[in-house]
Amino acid sequence: MKDISLIIHSKGAIGLRFLGLGPNLKPTNGLNKLQKLLERNTFWAKSRTNSDLKKCLANSDVIISLWVGNEIVGFGRALTDGIYRGVLWDIVIDKNHQGKGFGTLIVNNLLSSKKIKNTKKLYLMTTNKKNFYSQFNFEEVTSQDLMIRKI
Ligand SMILES: CC(C)(COP(=O)(O)OP(=O)(O)OC[C@H]1O[C@@H](n2cnc3c(N)ncnc32)[C@H](O)[C@@H]1OP(=O)(O)O)[C@@H](O)C(=O)NCCC(=O)NCCS
């Protein structure tokens, strides 16, 4: 049975970003593995380049990864001002490991992280996972509209 490791990265995930570090600070080609995790298991984060992912990690406030042995099987991150507003992004579990409580583990760790736990309003966007997030008290908002700037 391989070890399961949850990593709460330091801000900007320097070890993962520059050295591809995984569990026990061992180099595991982690950035490439993260790129593939997103490629295979999301519809919104396919084809992200390693160079863009590095920027994304550098500017994220809370970053969590989950590993089985040296393979990354889960990821989630958050942006926050630490007090008023925060957003959860890119929550994903590898297809072969879904339904084992890993997604719950990542969201709970994001929510209890130092910077997020004192943030008064937390948002997320989801296309078809509303029921999954309702267990963490996220509710659908009908009084506001989601707007996206066209570029
Ligand atoms: C959504 C996702 C993160 C859930 O992770 P997971 O590890 O499979 O979920 P868990 O095993 O922690 O499930 C926890 C609970 O939520 C439920 N659940 C999981 N996915 C669900 C869904 N899509 N709808 C309703 N309930 C769901 C499970 O049945 C489980 O309930 P239980 O405790 O009563 O058995 C994962 O399926 C995933 O990565 N999907 C593809 C990427 C994606 O769509 N991410 C969300 C972007 S907004």
Side-chain angles (χ1 to χ4, degrees):
M1 180 79 178
K2 291 182 178 164
D3 285 345
I4 296 171
S5 319
L6 181 103
I7 303 180
I8 300 171
H9 295 270
S10 56
K11 187 173 160 36
I14 292 172
L16 177 63
R17 188 153 47 100
F18 289 116
L19 303 169
L21 300 187
N24 304 316
L25 300 176
K26 274 210 322 224
T28 62
N29 207 9
L31 191 68
N32 276 327
K33 287 179 177 172
L34 174 61
Q35 196 277 334
K36 289 199 173 69
L37 176 80
L38 295 169
E39 174 82 38
R40 288 183 189 137
N41 299 285
T42 69
F43 60 84
W44 69 90
K46 290 186 185 296
S47 311
R48 287 187 179 172
T49 63
N50 284 11
S51 131
D52 284 354
L53 274 178
K54 277 186 180 172
K55 286 181 199 156
C56 165
L57 292 174
N59 294 300
S60 293
D61 297 297
V62 188
I63 300 164
I64 294 184
S65 60
L66 186 73
W67 303 72
V68 172
N70 285 330
E71 295 310 311
I72 187 167
V73 301
F75 181 79
R77 67 185 181 95
L79 300 180
T80 177
D81 54 28
I83 177 69
Y84 299 120
R85 299 290 186 263
V87 192
L88 307 191
W89 295 111
D90 294 335
I91 290 158
V92 57
I93 301 296
D94 181 75
K95 285 185 181 72
N96 296 326
H97 293 275
Q98 290 176 7
K100 299 177 177 177
F102 287 170
T104 304
L105 191 64
I106 293 212
V107 175
N108 277 334
N109 274 276
L110 284 171
L111 296 178
S112 60
S113 67
K114 217 166 140 191
K115 285 200 80 175
I116 287 290
K117 73 176 180 207
N118 295 320
T119 301
K120 293 179 197 299
K121 268 203 175 180
L122 287 178
Y123 298 79
L124 62 79
M125 270 146 253
T126 184
T127 308
N128 52 22
K129 298 290 187 273
K130 256 189 305 193
N131 293 341
F132 170 70
Y133 290 111
S134 64
Q135 65 185 313
F136 310 100
N137 295 331
F138 283 95
E139 288 174 351
E140 188 173 2
V141 174
T142 50
S143 56
Q144 288 176 308
D145 292 325
L146 173 68
M147 295 186 74
I148 299 183
R149 184 163 177 251
K150 278 189 185 172
I151 43 173

